[in-house]
Amino acid sequence: MRIDIISAAPELLQGPFSASIVARALKANLAEIHIHDLREYGLGNYRQIDDYQFGGGAGMVLMAEPLDQLLTELHKNRTYDDVIYLTPDGEAWNQASANRQSLQKNLILICGHYKGIDQRIRDLWVTKEVSVGDYVLSGGEIAACILADSIIRLIPGVLNNATSALEDSFQNKLLAPPVYTRPSNFKGLEVPKVLLSGNFKEIEKWRDQKSMEITKNRRPDLLKEE
Ligand code: ADE
């Protein structure tokens, strides 16, 4: 899978892809991330990428031309399954969205900044608009990292244990059960006996029960969705 990310602040995209699971996936060529600095397509000597909004009001808007040029360039080389714009007014991102997108080949993620991007780019190019939560971030970069991370870890071969992504919270619409490692007694707190029993049927039953209990308490909404 290839993910192209368009950003006016590409420095923000360095950290999350340079360590751990995603970095290993990129190194093993299981996924590619290409970061594009919108400024390189900026207009004039000052490489302008934003301007005041028509109609007045605070905040700058990312201009249509630089985005259009960059998007045109990318589309010359391959077809994209989706062009996703990260925005707080988009559809909510969840595990089902990550599962679906992990089956795609080529994706573009557009990070907004300031007030967002010119509506005509949304009309002409964007096929999906996604929000990572009901709060406003300073730009779409952190949201793009969330999408890329949650997608890439699902690509076959990225996680060592083929089942571990399937057992994550949300994969079965339930939150994950608690986990423990050595020592079995820590500051007087014992690991639940069943986990030390070697009885895998009982362990699975305990985990299912805990998942249900935690989901009922913390996220009853997950149990209502069909
Ligand atoms: N850009 C700013 N806030 C965002 C959010 N909550 N989700 C996606 N993109 C954003």
Side-chain angles (χ1 to χ4, degrees):
M1 143 163 294
R2 175 185 168 117
I3 302 178
D4 288 273
I5 307 180
I6 299 178
S7 166
E11 304 87 341
L12 287 173
L13 296 163
Q14 296 308 327
F17 306 134
S18 63
S20 187
I21 291 169
V22 173
R24 280 201 297 277
L26 300 178
K27 206 164 165 211
N29 281 326
L30 294 166
E32 286 175 42
I33 293 177
H34 297 265
I35 295 167
H36 305 276
D37 185 352
L38 187 60
R39 185 73 57 183
E40 287 175 17
Y41 292 78
L43 306 183
N45 287 344
Y46 293 104
R47 300 215 167 273
Q48 184 182 2
I49 54 170
D50 57 0
D51 209 340
Y52 297 102
Q53 54 177 315
F54 281 126
M60 306 293 272
V61 175
L62 290 178
M63 301 165 84
E65 291 108 312
L67 280 165
D68 184 65
Q69 263 192 36
L70 176 43
L71 286 161
T72 303
E73 205 60 48
L74 290 174
H75 279 81
K76 276 184 196 159
N77 298 321
R78 67 198 63 77
T79 53
Y80 285 92
D81 301 297
D82 267 311
V83 177
I84 300 176
Y85 172 47
L86 285 316
T87 173
D89 55 25
E91 271 176 48
W93 183 253
N94 59 25
Q95 190 61 45
S97 334
N99 291 346
R100 255 193 315 277
Q101 291 296 343
S102 73
L103 304 173
Q104 309 270 42
K105 252 182 94 177
N106 297 310
L107 292 178
I108 292 179
L109 306 182
I110 304 177
C111 305
H113 241 263
Y114 320 111
K115 269 286 159 196
I117 64 175
D118 190 297
Q119 178 61 36
R120 288 160 296 185
I121 293 299
R122 298 168 82 158
D123 298 340
L124 286 171
W125 288 103
V126 171
T127 59
K128 261 193 179 54
E129 304 196 326
V130 168
S131 162
V132 296
D134 292 343
Y135 42 79
V136 178
L137 299 165
S138 306
E141 283 77 9
I142 292 172
C145 292
I146 289 172
L147 262 64
D149 186 298
S150 60
I151 291 169
I152 287 173
R153 64 195 299 288
L154 296 172
I155 295 171
V158 169
L159 296 179
N160 310 338
N161 178 348
T163 63
S164 79
L166 296 176
E167 289 169 6
D168 286 343
S169 279
F170 304 113
Q171 278 300 10
N172 54 3
K173 301 212 166 176
L174 294 176
L175 301 181
V179 292
Y180 299 85
T181 185
R182 287 186 295 177
S184 62
N185 182 321
F186 177 68
K187 294 190 170 176
L189 299 176
E190 297 275 2
V191 170
K193 287 227 158 23
V194 62
L195 297 179
L196 307 175
S197 69
N199 183 336
F200 293 106
K201 234 175 133 181
E202 283 303 309
I203 291 172
E204 205 181 321
K205 207 167 111 193
W206 180 86
R207 287 181 171 151
D208 288 348
Q209 272 171 3
K210 284 286 168 194
S211 272
M212 187 54 81
E213 215 175 283
I214 292 169
T215 310
K216 263 189 195 157
N217 279 334
R218 295 184 186 168
R219 294 291 307 276
D221 57 300
L222 292 176
L223 299 169
K224 286 194 200 104
E225 284 170 22
E226 11 98 54

